[in-house]
Amino acid sequence: MATKPKKKNPRLASGRKRVRQDVKINAANTSLRSKYRTAVKNVEKAVLAGDKTKATELFAKMQQVVDIVADKGIFHKNKAARDKSRLSAKVKTLALAAA
């Protein structure tokens, strides 16, 4: 089994600070990435369940989360637009099917 080479500690103070910042930024980005994926997943679950009102409500919340994450550059803006577009289409077909 190949193991990763051990990372060396930076010697310069600026390098050590950069490492500290990276840990903090990485944690924030991971949290937002998870929030994004959860929001998308919740809308998909509601669509599969056939719950029109819940799907539209969750879709509105999902759009906000997706836009925030895309603005921060955690996911590409085109990926965000693609996800919103696809889920919007699913929610609309659900609304038409129920009507």
Side-chain angles (χ1 to χ4, degrees), residues 42-43 46-47 49-61 91 94-96 98:
N42 286 341
V43 175
V47 168
D51 193 344
K52 185 181 83 167
T53 53
K54 190 174 182 182
T56 51
E57 181 186 314
L58 286 171
F59 180 72
K61 288 180 184 175
V91 171
L94 185 69
L96 290 174

Side-chain angles (χ1 to χ4, degrees), residues 69-84:
V69 172
D71 286 343
K72 289 180 186 281
I74 294 166
F75 281 116
H76 197 278
K77 59 183 174 61
N78 289 2
K79 175 184 167 43
R82 183 176 66 239
D83 286 348
K84 286 196 310 191

Side-chain angles (χ1 to χ4, degrees), residues 19-87:
V19 169
R20 287 196 309 270
Q21 288 175 328
D22 286 345
V23 168
K24 202 172 184 180
I25 291 166
N26 192 357
N29 288 349
T30 304
S31 171
L32 283 171
R33 202 175 297 117
S34 173
K35 195 175 185 180
Y36 178 105
R37 290 178 177 148
T38 303
V40 170
K41 203 183 298 178
N42 286 341
V43 175
E44 287 176 343
K45 281 182 185 174
V47 168
L48 283 174
D51 193 344
K52 185 181 83 167
T53 53
K54 190 174 182 182
T56 51
E57 181 186 314
L58 286 171
F59 180 72
K61 288 180 184 175
M62 185 272 300
Q63 280 182 306
Q64 291 175 335
V65 172
V66 166
D67 287 336
I68 289 167
V69 172
D71 286 343
K72 289 180 186 281
I74 294 166
F75 281 116
H76 197 278
K77 59 183 174 61
N78 289 2
K79 175 184 167 43
R82 183 176 66 239
D83 286 348
K84 286 196 310 191
S85 174
R86 287 179 182 170
L87 283 172

